[in-house]
Amino acid sequence: MGAALPGTAIGTRRRIPVAVQAPDPISREGAVSQLRGRPEVEVREEVSAAAGTVALLIEDTLDEGALGRLRRIVRSEGARAVLVVGTIRETELLDVIECGVGAIVWRREATAHRLVQAVLAAHRGDGDLPADLLGRLISQVGTLHRGAAGRPGAPSLGLAPREVDVLRLVAEGLDTGEIASKLSYSERTVKNVMHGLTTRLHLRNRAHAVAYALREGYI
């Protein structure tokens, strides 16, 4: 697989630093060996938000310890994160998204190509969820929204129509260029819309924005 993925750092001569964290040395070395030598990334030992490091966390399941590690890396250390996980329960999915993790890869699908794809998405601040997880997320927040329907004093996001249009397409899995083409916007406009709403609403990434919009019934 010699060609670089579209939009990778290779075109700018800049590699994305990636720090792999795993509960055991075999899992860590397996991921490192897949990433080592890929032109898009540079494997690092430590997470550094200042260096723009993407943290790649490997877990079999998500217990409180694993969720705590996610929160520390994303919130305290300010890093982008990719979660590689064996299983994830319905009750944990929204917790992971609201931790600020926008890219999730199933362990059974964690090829070198798939890991790099997720790292690039996390580095850009994009969402990258497996299709089955996206469906579960939509179902889960839809249930939450229906449960909150009619509740007095329910908060409103106050999303503008074009923000809703952009988020609906993000939820369908389209990237920035595809969204721009669908809505006849420039890519810069799409990025500005996403930046504006995530900043205003204190959301961490695209997946978090979609979860909030779904929860509030906008999409």
Side-chain angles (χ1 to χ4, degrees):
M1 203 176 299
L5 294 170
T8 65
I10 196 69
T12 60
R13 304 296 179 188
R14 181 168 170 269
R15 302 167 75 192
I16 299 170
V18 178
V20 178
Q21 299 191 7
D24 61 87
I26 292 177
S27 294
R28 184 183 184 280
E29 286 307 311
V32 168
S33 67
Q34 287 190 309
L35 294 173
R36 189 180 287 123
R38 294 288 306 213
E40 304 92 343
V41 302
E42 177 185 352
V43 178
R44 299 276 184 89
E45 290 297 320
E46 300 291 336
V47 174
S48 169
T53 308
V54 173
L56 192 147
L57 292 93
I58 302 171
E59 302 286 351
D60 283 318
T61 58
L62 286 175
D63 55 16
E64 279 304 312
L67 286 171
R69 287 190 288 276
L70 283 174
R71 294 188 186 101
R72 185 188 72 249
I73 287 171
V74 177
R75 296 180 182 178
S76 301
E77 300 180 19
R80 308 278 192 182
V82 173
L83 174 64
V84 181
V85 68
T87 61
I88 185 167
R89 294 192 295 266
E90 299 287 343
T91 54
E92 298 163 340
L93 182 54
L94 198 57
D95 285 340
V96 169
I97 297 300
E98 293 187 338
C99 274
V101 177
I104 301 175
V105 178
W106 291 125
R107 286 193 69 152
R108 62 183 177 272
E109 298 174 354
T111 63
H113 175 81
R114 185 69 189 89
L115 291 177
V116 170
Q117 195 176 46
V119 165
L120 293 170
H123 180 71
R124 294 190 302 264
D126 292 347
D128 186 355
L129 304 183
D132 56 333
L133 272 189
L134 183 57
R136 285 163 59 184
L137 176 63
I138 290 172
S139 174
Q140 184 179 354
V141 294
T143 300
L144 288 172
H145 172 66
R146 287 190 295 274
R151 186 183 301 162
S156 172
L157 289 179
L159 292 178
R162 74 173 184 173
E163 292 175 333
V164 175
D165 290 340
V166 169
L167 283 176
R168 186 175 290 115
L169 295 176
V170 170
E172 292 176 8
L174 277 64
D175 63 24
T176 299
E178 291 168 330
I179 293 170
S181 177
K182 282 266 190 184
L183 298 178
S184 298
Y185 292 161
S186 68
E187 291 192 23
R188 180 178 293 277
T189 296
V190 173
K191 290 176 181 177
N192 287 343
V193 169
M194 287 302 305
H195 177 73
L197 73 90
T198 53
T199 301
R200 187 176 81 250
L201 301 171
H202 307 291
L203 304 171
R204 296 182 185 88
N205 50 43
R206 290 188 176 200
H208 196 189
V210 168
Y212 265 70
L214 285 163
R215 189 202 295 267
E216 297 298 325
Y218 280 92
I219 58 177

